[in-house]
Amino acid sequence: MKRRLCMGLVAVCMLMALSGCGKAEGAQAEGGAAKESAAATATADEKGNYLVNGSFEEPDFTGWNVTNIDNVTEELDIYTRETDCFEGVQSLHFYSGSSDVNFTAEQTVSGLEAGTYKMTAHIQGDTAGDENASVYFYAIVNGETIKADASLNGYVNWYTAELAGLNVEDGEVTVGVSVKIAPGGWGTIDDITLVKE
């Protein structure tokens, strides 16, 4: 009996070790690997937003594929600081002191009704004087990538990006953000929505 109990406990521990656990506060994307699943089935929340965790209020990157390209972004995590949020108390935070900031975060929603949709997103921060900074939001619709350039204009000086008239025919949209700036760049991204027009 004791032997069976011990073997059962060992099996449970091995399963837990293999499955791993997500990070809670300050969950990070590391090593350039994608984090979290990005295939949600279309269900709108009370505000009509089809994105999962669009305001980053979960303790990790639930719903999002976050890729730290070449593992250069020193801080890429969920930030719990209400003053740095557009909505709620958490946001997606990025910063690098001695290396570039270079990452993407995206989410795919499937099962959408045919029709037109609008993506809205908010970003604030600083490019550390990088004149070649590349910051934009995008949507992939019916195989076509549509971009909306964004800018970092200082602390809590929010830039709002919009992609309207996204004509969804095949029921699927991928939305995302790409940030590539020089060392010293920082900021937060918050309140990304995808709503039916």
Side-chain angles (χ1 to χ4, degrees):
M1 184 74 170
K2 285 183 180 177
R3 188 176 207 176
R4 257 192 202 159
L5 183 60
C6 284
M7 290 187 73
L9 284 171
V10 168
V12 168
C13 288
M14 286 177 66
L15 283 172
M16 288 175 68
L18 288 173
S19 67
C21 296
K23 293 183 179 180
E25 285 287 322
Q28 293 188 340
E30 299 174 19
K35 295 289 184 181
E36 299 304 322
S37 171
T41 301
T43 305
D45 66 14
E46 66 279 356
K47 295 180 180 177
N49 187 8
Y50 284 94
L51 297 179
V52 173
N53 192 27
S55 196
F56 302 98
E57 294 302 304
E58 297 294 327
D60 54 24
F61 290 121
T62 296
W64 294 93
N65 263 339
V66 179
T67 304
N68 186 356
I69 298 167
D70 297 327
N71 200 28
V72 294
T73 310
E74 294 169 14
E75 295 178 19
L76 183 56
D77 52 26
I78 298 298
Y79 212 35
T80 304
R81 199 159 105 175
E82 195 171 344
T83 55
D84 290 45
C85 299
F86 187 85
E87 175 80 26
V89 295
Q90 293 185 166
S91 57
L92 190 163
H93 164 254
F94 58 90
Y95 166 74
S96 280
S98 58
S99 60
D100 290 343
V101 172
N102 191 5
F103 73 93
T104 62
E106 67 176 36
Q107 181 173 151
T108 299
V109 182
S110 58
L112 291 165
E113 288 182 5
T116 57
Y117 292 78
K118 179 172 76 171
M119 173 194 172
T120 306
H122 309 277
I123 189 168
Q124 64 92 27
D126 193 275
T127 63
D130 183 359
E131 293 179 8
N132 298 311
S134 173
V135 181
Y136 62 88
F137 292 90
Y138 61 90
I140 303 171
V141 184
N142 308 317
E144 179 187 0
T145 301
I146 303 158
K147 296 180 181 180
D149 289 329
S151 61
L152 297 173
N153 302 314
Y155 183 59
V156 298
N157 188 3
W158 291 95
Y159 184 93
T160 300
E162 265 188 21
L163 286 170
L166 301 172
N167 188 19
V168 177
E169 297 170 359
D170 62 5
E172 186 172 285
V173 174
T174 297
V175 299
V177 59
S178 173
V179 178
K180 186 174 182 180
I181 52 180
W186 57 269
T188 56
I189 298 163
D190 203 14
D191 199 31
I192 303 176
T193 61
L194 177 70
V195 300
K196 197 159 194 266
E197 290 185 308

